[in-house]
Amino acid sequence: MIWLTAFSIAMGFMESAIVIYLRRIYYPNGFQFPLTPVAHDIAMIEFLREAATIIMLVGIGVLAGKNTSQKFAFFIYCFAVWDIFYYVFLKAFIGWPESLFTWDILFLIPVPWVGPVLAPCLVSLTMVVLTIAVINFQEKNYDAHLKAKEWLLLITGSLVIIFSFIQDYFIYMGQGNPASHIWRLTGNQDMFDEIAHYIPSSYNWWIFSAGEAIVLSGIVLFIIRILKQPKP
């Protein structure tokens, strides 16, 4: 766990360093919405960089875990630590975000994911809780594998949370705005160009809270089930 944590913090620093470079180039007066249009080739490289980051986090989880549950738990743990320290380093080096309620662009595929910084941080803390539960029980030789119902709750809650990140953009598209384009694997220059018109207006904390509640119910269900097992 010490090395997984160190690896994830180092990746968080690497991610923040890249973002600082990009912001120095594209946002010399400070990051703000709407986003600055970028060339399609640069946007593609940025997407592939994000994909490479996820592959690296999955890879370290697969290498460290003894079984499927541990591999998954280590992956989400590394993802969570990486994400949290990404913001920690940005705050330390450039004083951003100004607060936990500062808007951030989280992802761009297939539409922009946006939300206050607090939201992804809460998701990351939830990931850490699940990891601690899985690893703690498995190290004590419990049969701590996630069951179908628990997976269903975790996946459903995650999808609801993702919807909370993309809802504002869908509302924007529904108003007939020109940025009504969805990115495709073949590329969509129109979206990259016209996203310059999009400014997030509101974040639905109720939807986010519902998603978090569903995920937490899956974690609680998992913990209760394991505690009912006879001690190994």
Side-chain angles (χ1 to χ4, degrees):
M1 291 300 294
I2 292 174
W3 275 109
L4 287 174
T5 303
F7 176 87
S8 304
I9 293 174
M11 283 199 65
F13 172 78
M14 180 181 66
E15 182 84 359
S16 66
I18 293 170
V19 169
I20 290 170
Y21 300 151
L22 289 172
R23 291 189 180 184
R24 183 66 61 88
I25 296 171
Y26 289 102
Y27 303 92
N29 297 319
F31 174 75
Q32 60 184 350
F33 288 93
L35 300 181
T36 300
V38 297
H40 179 266
D41 57 343
I42 298 298
M44 177 61 75
I45 291 171
E46 179 63 11
F47 165 67
L48 293 175
R49 180 186 69 81
E50 292 288 347
T53 300
I54 300 301
I55 292 172
M56 292 172 69
L57 292 169
V58 171
I60 196 66
V62 170
L63 290 172
K66 299 176 183 178
N67 50 56
T68 301
S69 294
Q70 277 198 12
K71 293 176 191 296
F72 171 72
F74 285 144
F75 159 63
I76 63 172
Y77 174 78
C78 290
F79 188 100
V81 175
W82 160 73
D83 189 50
I84 291 172
F85 276 89
Y86 162 73
Y87 287 115
V88 169
F89 287 125
L90 284 181
K91 184 67 174 179
F93 290 119
I94 61 175
W96 189 94
E98 290 80 7
S99 77
L100 289 174
F101 295 97
T102 300
W103 283 88
D104 189 23
I105 181 76
L106 308 177
F107 206 51
L108 281 172
I109 309 299
V111 297
W113 299 24
V114 296
V117 169
L118 178 61
C121 288
L122 289 174
V123 172
S124 294
L125 291 175
T126 305
M127 290 180 179
V128 172
V129 171
L130 177 57
T131 299
I132 292 174
V134 171
I135 301 305
N136 179 62
F137 286 131
Q138 288 204 354
E139 290 299 312
K140 292 181 179 179
N141 296 317
Y142 283 93
D143 180 17
H145 295 85
L146 293 164
K147 301 297 183 181
K149 186 175 181 180
E150 295 153 5
W151 275 115
L152 179 61
L153 290 170
L154 293 176
I155 293 172
T156 301
S158 298
L159 291 175
V160 172
I161 291 172
I162 290 173
F163 179 71
S164 76
F165 293 142
I166 64 177
Q167 183 198 28
D168 187 72
Y169 187 74
F170 277 117
I171 293 174
Y172 179 78
M173 289 194 300
Q175 295 171 347
N177 290 288
S180 56
H181 297 273
I182 295 178
W183 197 91
R184 301 183 298 271
L185 290 178
T186 55
N188 189 335
Q189 185 61 39
D190 287 338
M191 191 196 82
F192 290 125
D193 291 339
E194 294 171 359
I195 200 174
H197 301 286
Y198 169 61
I199 299 177
S201 59
S202 64
Y203 184 69
N204 196 320
W205 283 103
W206 290 107
I207 294 179
F208 174 83
S209 298
E212 270 286 293
I214 295 171
V215 170
L216 289 172
S217 66
I219 297 175
V220 171
L221 187 66
F222 166 74
I223 293 174
I224 292 175
R225 178 175 61 81
I226 300 302
L227 291 177
K228 289 182 178 179
Q229 294 179 12
K231 291 186 178 181

